[in-house]
């Protein structure tokens, strides 16, 4: 692990509770780890106001002003082009110019992806950056699904890139020594699938990854493989369906509780027991997800990110930086490019 | 409702527990409803043996011999071509020749779909038959997802056909007066989606259905719409992922129970409470799913179908027959064809 000075630009204006949660999250990160060099970017007076109101201090030379705000209603690509003085545009530019190693934002995720791709640029050998979602499994391990919505209508070589980048990420960041990669399909057999999986399967068999073969929808939460690759359209639906399951369960238990005092009591036991039994599904502590394939570290957080989530996003960026992920991605992409 | 004589051909050799469960299911159906005319098709001596061993009687003239068996290892299309004396081939042929109205099987579902499509034939105006999966929702209603695997690489007109047939099915069989149809995508807005959804959305807006617009993965179990249409590849993954949730939950609760006697007690309460709270998710009682778009009624059951599931499949075929579903499909397809 390199003992580098990692400069992390944090988008103070991004998220439903910005700048409050972001500023407090950044302060907490620096308080916990003095080695982290955080640059807060956004409307400086707003940032100063939050610090003052909450009795917190932050190095003033590390606060960079950005007059414009890209909000949730903005169309990603045009916002990047038009709002050049936004925290997202300036933040990604700092990474591009080598003035920082990472950009962290809980803002308009489409705009962050667009800015990272257009301003920071793609790694050589990457056609489309990707976002993975880490899902809990029966085994207690996690299964990371790529892509979950960075793009749609993915082509075979895109899925190959997801597998390559995802394998390095799982190895370095999730400590899985030789991560298995499954290709999401409608049957385990090679003969089951669609045009995309047939063509992708051939590429994955020859790629320098630990390819398992086809997996099905049920294999994700079973934990059959460490990584699952699929078209971003499919992955996005998979992620949102999986996330809705707990809500479904809660509603069913609430309806059950409404049917009498004994039911209410049983429902209460169920609620607390499930909270315990499913404690490894703690979305908040995960913080954010990295956008892989861009030329720099980029962590995208949920709009509703808490102070803890922001802090964790900063720590994740720091870890990716210390572990030289970008360098390792570049090495793997170069080797793969030569082998073709 | 027409008071028709509905002749239902039941594949005695289909399913993991065939012919036992199938024969007993058929006997149970006839015992419960004398109006149902069931034709058992399969190896006659095997069928007679089950009847004798279980002390059951069945009209012998309604047992049709089929010497060959298509099993789970057979490749669907070639099995249909090669095993012409199989229960699946002869059964679908009886429907084609007008000697029966419905075919019911818990056998190799690929082979049943192939036989129904090739031998019974498609309805005029249908390019691809489809299978829907009925999913439970927070609201207590059901959401039927088409297609869940009858085909992959669906085209916009296929999704349109799924919506048209599915709407009639929901209205007639699930008593939903004006079923809403959602198009599965990666965002609610019209601008979110992939090539398939953009083109399909245009067709659905002009089709004689109650089109809601785009829905996301989370909307299925929320019950946002009564019907959701998508490519069969996506639908199959959605179905298998959703089915795996309960298994995931059970494993998590079992692991929790293993951690001590108090945990075991709480887990037991959770188990019984969830069984009650989720009682509307009773896959077995649903029995089978219809293959829509073929020229006759075809119900496909799970390989592990119980006696009750087989009986319910027969009742579903009878209901579809009584409600003249095929006639109503034809009417709607004809009207839609004229309107284009």
């Amino acid at each position: 692990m390199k003992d580098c000075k990692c400069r992390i630009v944090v988008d103070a204006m991004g998220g439903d509770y910005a700048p409050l949660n972001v500023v407090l999250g950044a302060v907490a990160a620096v308080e916990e780890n003095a080695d982290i060099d955080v640059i807060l970017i956004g409307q400086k007076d707003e940032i100063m106001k939050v610090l003052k109101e909450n009795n917190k201090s932050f190095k003033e030379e590390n606060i960079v002003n950005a007059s414009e705000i890209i909000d949730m209603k903005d169309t990603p690509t045009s916002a990047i082009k038009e709002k050049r003085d936004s925290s997202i545009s300036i933040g990604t530019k700092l990474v591009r110019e080598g003035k920082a190693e990472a950009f962290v934002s809980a803002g308009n995720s489409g705009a962050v992806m667009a800015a990272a791709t257009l301003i920071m640029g793609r790694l050589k050998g990457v056609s489309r950056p990707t976002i993975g979602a880490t899902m809990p499994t029966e085994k207690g391990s996690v299964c990371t699904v790529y892509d979950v919505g960075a793009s749609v209508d993915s082509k075979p070589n895109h899925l190959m890139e997801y597998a390559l980048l995802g394998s390095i990420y799982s190895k370095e960041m999730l400590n899985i020594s030789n991560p298995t990669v499954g290709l999401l399909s409608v049957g385990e057999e090679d003969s089951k699938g669609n045009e995309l999986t047939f063509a992708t399967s051939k590429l994955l068999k020859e790629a320098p990854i630990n390819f398992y073969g086809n997996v099905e929808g049920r294999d994700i939460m079973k934990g059959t493989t460490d990584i699952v690759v699929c078209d971003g359209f499919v992955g996005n639906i998979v992620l949102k369906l999986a996330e809705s399951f707990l809500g479904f369960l809660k509603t069913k238990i609430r309806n059950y509780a409404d049917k009498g005092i004994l039911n209410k009591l049983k429902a209460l036991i169920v609620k607390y027991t499930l909270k315990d039994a499913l404690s490894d599904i703690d979305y908040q502590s995960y913080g954010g997800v990295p956008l892989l394939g861009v030329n720099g570290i980029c962590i995208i957080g949920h709009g509703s990110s808490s102070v803890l989530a922001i802090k964790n996003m900063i720590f994740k960026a720091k870890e990716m930086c210390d572990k030289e992920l970008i360098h390792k991605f570049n090495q793997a992409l170069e080797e793969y490019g030569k082998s073709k």
Side-chain angles (χ1 to χ4, degrees), chain A:
Chain A
M1 202 183 283
K2 201 175 81 173
D3 190 25
C4 74
K5 189 72 182 165
C6 175
R7 295 160 298 180
I8 301 167
V9 183
V10 178
D11 175 12
M13 311 320 282
D16 306 339
Y17 309 105
L20 181 67
N21 281 2
V22 185
V23 172
L24 296 183
V27 168
V30 176
E31 279 176 356
E32 205 169 313
N33 185 346
D35 275 353
I36 298 186
D37 201 357
V38 173
I39 299 160
L40 270 172
I41 190 158
Q43 294 182 328
K44 196 166 176 180
D45 47 348
E46 291 286 321
I47 297 172
M48 298 307 286
K49 201 173 137 200
V50 171
L51 287 168
K52 197 180 165 195
E53 281 175 4
N54 291 275
N55 237 332
K56 299 283 181 189
S57 62
F58 195 86
K59 264 199 273 184
E60 213 183 321
E61 66 265 35
N62 275 14
I63 301 175
V64 175
N65 190 56
S67 63
E68 288 177 296
I69 295 176
I70 292 178
D71 63 26
M72 299 311 286
K73 280 167 269 152
D74 279 310
T75 311
T77 338
S78 52
I80 298 307
K81 283 178 191 155
E82 287 156 23
K83 296 186 175 176
R84 288 176 189 256
D85 201 43
S86 65
S87 51
I88 295 176
S89 299
I90 298 185
T92 47
K93 212 172 149 207
L94 288 173
V95 177
R96 185 210 178 122
E97 291 168 349
K99 290 176 184 156
E101 280 66 43
F103 179 67
V104 166
S105 176
N108 182 326
S109 51
V112 177
M113 280 190 269
T117 308
L118 297 172
I119 299 173
M120 286 161 62
R122 288 173 282 125
L123 295 174
K124 200 183 161 191
V126 169
S127 330
R128 287 199 191 171
T130 181
I131 285 183
T134 302
M135 317 250 283
T137 77
E138 279 182 16
K139 293 178 178 169
S141 60
V142 293
C143 172
T144 314
V145 180
Y146 297 92
D147 174 71
V148 294
S151 63
V152 298
D153 292 320
S154 312
K155 300 284 175 288
N157 62 311
H158 304 149
L159 269 67
M160 213 292 306
E161 293 163 13
Y162 306 160
L164 200 62
L165 298 173
S167 294
I168 295 169
Y169 186 85
S170 283
K171 188 180 162 203
E172 300 291 333
M173 296 291 290
L174 306 176
N175 297 314
I176 303 167
S177 62
N178 190 19
T180 48
V181 177
L183 173 62
L184 194 56
S185 188
V186 294
E188 283 175 18
E189 308 89 334
D190 259 10
S191 60
K192 297 269 178 77
N194 62 5
E195 285 172 20
L196 176 64
T197 63
F198 295 143
T200 304
S201 184
K202 283 180 198 159
L203 289 182
L204 293 180
K205 276 176 188 161
E206 289 174 5
I209 54 157
N210 189 2
F211 183 45
Y212 171 91
N214 280 1
V215 292
E216 299 184 77
R218 65 171 70 97
D219 289 303
I220 297 171
M221 292 176 87
K222 260 193 190 169
T224 305
T225 57
D226 302 306
I227 294 167
V228 163
V229 293
C230 60
D231 169 32
F233 182 87
V234 177
N236 185 271
I237 288 164
V238 160
L239 172 65
K240 286 175 182 164
L241 175 64
E243 282 180 346
S244 75
F245 182 57
L246 282 188
F248 170 80
L249 208 58
K250 276 182 196 165
T251 307
K252 287 290 176 188
I253 294 167
R254 206 181 307 126
N255 292 347
Y256 177 83
D258 287 345
K259 283 177 194 155
I261 185 75
L262 188 63
N263 279 22
K264 205 176 238 48
L265 187 69
K266 285 196 277 181
L268 212 64
I269 298 172
V270 171
K271 192 179 150 191
Y272 285 101
T273 308
L274 284 185
K275 209 171 173 179
D276 244 24
L278 302 176
S279 61
D280 55 343
I281 317 181
D282 183 358
Y283 291 106
Q284 174 172 289
S285 71
Y286 288 160
V289 291
L291 178 68
L292 304 184
V294 289
N295 195 9
I297 294 160
C298 176
I299 310 278
I300 301 177
H302 201 276
S304 64
S305 287
S306 63
V307 173
L308 175 64
I310 297 286
K311 191 186 75 174
N312 284 341
M313 284 161 70
I314 295 170
F315 285 161
K316 188 175 275 178
K318 165 79 173 149
E319 192 183 349
M320 285 179 74
C321 186
D322 287 345
K323 290 181 170 168
E324 303 182 83
L325 263 280
I326 301 298
H327 175 64
K328 283 167 186 161
F329 286 152
N330 272 325
Q331 270 187 324
L333 288 161
E334 197 185 334
E335 274 169 38
Y336 178 70
K338 280 183 196 158
S339 74
K340 274 194 297 189

